[in-house]
Amino acid sequence: MKKTIAILPGDGIGPEIMSQTLRILKKIENKFDHQFQLVEGYIGGSAFEKYNSHFPEITKVICAKSDAILFGSVGGPLEKAEFPKWKDCEKNSILALRKTFHFSSNIRPAKVFAELKEICPLKDSIIGNGIDIVIVRELLGDIYFGEHLTYIENQLRKAKDICEYDEKQISIVAHQAFRMARKRNNKVTSVDKANVLDTSKLWRSIVSEVGRDYPDVTLEHMLVDNCAMQFFIQPTQFDVILTSNLFGDILSDAAAAFPGSLGLMPSASFNEQGFALYEPSGGSAPHLAGKNIANPIAQILSLSLLFKHSFELFEEADIIEKAVQKTLQAGYRTKDICIKENEGISTTQMTDIILSHI
């Protein structure tokens, strides 16, 4: 197979975990005689330093000419958030990237590895036989992309953020969730706030209409506050969760508590044509940058998702996932998933061991 992949390492720990992930990619490439053309681009703070832009035109071209995008992370230290290099960095880079390529659906798996059950904050009685959830989040609508306004009225400071959805936006992500459910356990839980919000009422209506096209998939509706509670009471009831941009942002981060670390959570974002971006769910973690201690697993599993969903290389994806599992079964841990403080192997060592199982 010959494919082109845009590589966007970004900031913080992004370049470190990306470089290790590319070692995995090269091993798979050689093992299966594939040809992957890797074209690296700048984004985030690193792009600002070179091009005075968080998402320069040259990076857009690199992405547009690729078959898939493998993304690291962007952003800098909070105490430097107002510096030109970091001001609105995420908004100008990852949000702009999603908007440019119309990435409308984000898929984030949340799975408790049996080998890491001890770092899940939930009791064994709640974890049961395991937690395995996929959250499908709409990415291009909701309050993030509506009008934002801060103003003074009657000598009072006021602000408003407009939440908007149309039926096409909802339909696109709903179809994505139902198709995903068909590959899993045939259940979709659509999460909204239809008892209060008009956007949620429309959401529930459109999702129900789309659900009729998938009679083999069970659809249930749940209010977001109840869903948040059910996460920590009976998480095993969920298979695929479908929800809006804002609720998905919150719920997917809450679900990160299940595996015990964001360093274990990959994600993928798709547009309507199937073009996709793959990235770890954690941030740039600038405090960890340059120390060779960041967990590379989320980035490596993001590569596995890329092979599976963009290239349909199912065997290759499965080999990567099993290599990660075998590494964890053997007891190897980076610092973020160690029970004892001041223990754990390095980013490079973790990758070395994963490579040994491929």
Side-chain angles (χ1 to χ4, degrees):
M1 174 177 282
K2 295 182 179 180
K3 294 288 184 180
T4 300
I5 306 173
I7 306 297
L8 308 181
D11 307 316
I13 62 171
E16 296 172 54
I17 58 175
M18 183 67 79
S19 65
Q20 298 306 312
T21 299
L22 295 185
R23 296 174 63 203
I24 304 289
L25 184 148
K26 286 295 182 182
K27 183 77 176 279
I28 292 292
E29 182 180 44
N30 294 332
K31 183 179 179 68
F32 289 90
D33 198 27
H34 296 310
Q35 293 181 38
F36 298 124
Q37 182 182 8
L38 309 180
V39 185
E40 187 167 328
Y42 288 85
I43 196 162
S46 62
F48 193 91
E49 278 191 346
K50 188 174 179 66
Y51 297 103
N52 201 36
S53 168
H54 291 119
F55 186 29
E57 190 64 31
I58 189 172
T59 301
K60 294 178 187 178
V61 172
I62 288 171
C63 293
K65 291 182 176 180
S66 71
D67 296 299
I69 303 169
L70 189 61
F71 185 92
S73 57
V74 291
L78 287 176
E79 65 271 16
K80 297 182 179 179
E82 292 305 311
F83 285 32
K85 178 179 176 179
W86 302 118
K87 186 175 176 60
D88 294 328
C89 179
E90 289 86 349
K91 178 182 176 181
N92 295 336
S93 53
I94 185 61
L95 290 185
L97 185 58
R98 290 171 182 169
K99 191 172 183 178
T100 298
F101 294 101
H102 306 288
F103 292 127
S104 55
S105 307
N106 176 258
I107 293 174
R108 188 184 290 193
K111 182 177 181 179
V112 173
F113 291 88
E115 299 76 22
L116 297 176
K117 215 173 174 182
E118 70 274 9
I119 66 171
C120 177
L122 302 178
K123 298 177 182 176
D124 283 352
S125 59
I126 294 175
I127 298 172
N129 293 325
I131 299 171
D132 187 359
I133 300 169
V134 170
I135 297 175
V136 180
R137 167 190 170 192
E138 198 284 326
L139 278 183
L140 293 180
D142 211 336
I143 206 162
Y144 297 130
F145 290 93
E147 179 188 6
H148 306 288
L149 186 63
T150 301
Y151 58 102
I152 295 175
E153 184 176 275
N154 297 326
Q155 296 183 327
L156 291 175
R157 286 175 293 173
K158 298 181 71 173
K160 63 181 178 181
D161 301 284
I162 306 299
C163 172
E164 289 183 313
Y165 267 116
D166 63 43
E167 59 181 299
K168 184 178 180 181
Q169 290 172 309
I170 300 168
S171 177
I172 289 171
V173 71
H175 280 291
Q176 181 75 50
F178 281 100
R179 288 194 297 266
M180 180 66 64
R182 275 183 167 171
K183 299 175 183 177
R184 293 171 49 87
N185 296 313
N186 291 299
K187 181 182 178 183
V188 170
T189 302
S190 179
V191 176
D192 57 40
K193 192 64 177 172
N195 60 333
V196 177
L197 303 176
D198 273 27
T199 47
S200 281
K201 291 173 184 176
L202 177 65
W203 180 279
R204 185 171 292 207
S205 176
I206 300 302
V207 170
S208 296
E209 291 173 12
V210 172
R212 297 187 194 113
D213 294 337
Y214 302 84
D216 52 321
V217 178
T218 300
L219 169 64
E220 68 173 1
H221 298 280
M222 186 176 290
L223 296 176
V224 64
D225 41 355
N226 183 33
C227 180
M229 179 179 70
Q230 294 297 324
F231 259 19
F232 300 100
I233 294 177
Q234 193 184 354
T236 55
Q237 69 182 284
F238 297 112
D239 179 26
V240 174
I241 292 176
L242 165 64
T243 192
S244 61
N245 205 347
L246 176 62
F247 297 154
D249 192 1
I250 297 167
L251 290 175
S252 56
D253 279 354
F258 297 151
S261 171
L262 279 170
L264 297 167
M265 294 187 68
S267 75
S269 299
F270 297 86
N271 67 16
E272 197 173 359
Q273 290 72 41
F275 183 58
L277 173 148
Y278 301 86
E279 62 178 316
S281 298
S284 60
H287 63 292
L288 301 179
K291 298 180 181 178
N292 197 26
I293 59 174
N295 191 341
I297 288 178
Q299 186 79 70
I300 291 169
L301 291 178
S302 294
L303 174 64
S304 175
L305 289 179
L306 184 155
F307 283 155
K308 186 184 301 181
H309 294 291
S310 285
F311 299 165
E312 296 187 344
L313 297 177
F314 301 109
E315 183 181 358
E316 290 86 334
D318 187 57
I319 284 174
I320 293 173
E321 291 167 13
K322 285 181 177 176
V324 169
Q325 189 167 10
K326 288 176 182 177
T327 299
L328 295 174
Q329 285 173 342
Y332 296 101
R333 306 283 186 268
T334 45
K335 188 174 182 180
D336 61 311
I337 53 176
C338 273
I339 293 179
K340 296 180 181 179
E341 288 188 32
N342 302 318
E343 290 190 2
I345 62 176
S346 71
T347 309
T348 306
Q349 289 171 322
M350 178 63 87
T351 310
D352 289 341
I353 298 161
I354 294 171
L355 278 167
S356 72
H357 291 295
I358 294 177

